């Protein structure tokens, strides 16, 4: 699931059309790089179009660059949702960072916090070891 996808919706396994109002994504990025950083900060949404934030915009741009310049090399893109601490490997609850989702998952995995009250927030969480294993499997399968 990406931030611009409706919750619980299915995502086709393809690079989706660029939401840049008729612009080529690479030309758009060049125009951003040439713009005044203060102007970008004033009106970020205009520069990142329909993307929720600059992080999601950058992930999308990276996928497009890989797709455009990969040549004859097979390409596998894994799009995990919110990555949290490990479920089994290397250890139950293992976490290398308490940044982002780790700040919620770590205390919960340690038994410090049993639950969080976040009304109307239904995160799509996936353990880090499941993500790393899926990357290995998709790479081997596609190889």
């Amino acid at each position: 699931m990406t931030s611009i996808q409706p919750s619980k919706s299915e995502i086709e396994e393809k690079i989706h059309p660029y939401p840049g109002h008729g612009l080529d994504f690479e030309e758009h990025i060049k125009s951003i790089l040439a713009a005044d950083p203060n102007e970008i900060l004033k009106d970020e949404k205009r520069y990142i179009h329909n993307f929720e934030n600059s992080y999601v915009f950058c992930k999308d741009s990276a996928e497009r660059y890989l797709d455009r310049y990969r040549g004859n090399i097979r390409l596998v893109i894994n799009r995990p949702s919110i990555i949290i601490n490990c479920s089994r490997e290397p250890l139950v609850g293992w976490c290398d960072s308490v940044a982002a989702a780790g700040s919620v998952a770590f205390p919960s995995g340690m038994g410090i916090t049993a639950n969080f009250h976040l009304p109307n927030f239904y995160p799509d969480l996936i353990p880090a070891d499941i993500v790393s294993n899926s990357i290995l499997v998709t790479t081997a399968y596609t190889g």
Side-chain angles (χ1 to χ4, degrees):
M1 180 172 142
T2 65
S3 298
I4 60 171
Q5 288 294 126
S7 182
K8 303 286 185 197
S9 68
E10 192 171 308
I11 302 172
E12 290 182 71
E13 294 183 14
K14 67 178 188 175
I15 304 290
H16 296 273
Y18 188 60
H21 311 292
L23 291 173
D24 174 69
F25 82 94
E26 200 166 351
E27 292 301 318
H28 181 215
I29 290 171
K30 287 178 185 175
S31 72
I32 292 172
L33 292 172
D36 176 9
N38 292 320
E39 289 301 314
I40 294 171
L41 289 173
K42 285 180 189 174
D43 194 10
E44 180 185 15
K45 284 291 184 188
R46 183 168 64 91
Y47 289 94
I48 64 171
H49 302 304
N50 297 330
F51 295 100
E52 183 177 305
N53 54 46
S54 58
Y55 173 74
V56 176
F57 172 76
C58 290
K59 285 192 328 179
D60 180 80
S61 298
E63 288 183 10
R64 290 178 194 287
Y65 270 104
L66 288 169
D67 186 50
R68 183 171 283 180
Y69 295 109
R70 68 188 168 116
N72 293 328
I73 298 172
R74 290 184 182 175
L75 178 63
V76 175
I77 298 173
N78 283 281
R79 295 177 176 143
S81 53
I82 302 168
I83 301 172
I84 59 169
N85 52 310
C86 294
S87 62
R88 293 190 185 125
E89 301 168 338
L91 301 166
V92 173
W94 182 84
C95 180
D96 71 341
S97 172
V98 291
S103 64
V104 175
F106 183 74
S108 190
M110 294 292 294
I112 298 168
T113 304
N115 55 48
F116 292 90
H117 178 68
L118 302 168
N120 300 317
F121 180 64
Y122 308 98
D124 188 6
L125 308 173
I126 187 165
D129 53 335
I130 303 298
V131 173
S132 62
N133 288 338
S134 72
I135 291 170
L136 293 172
V137 168
T138 55
T139 303
Y141 179 77
T142 308

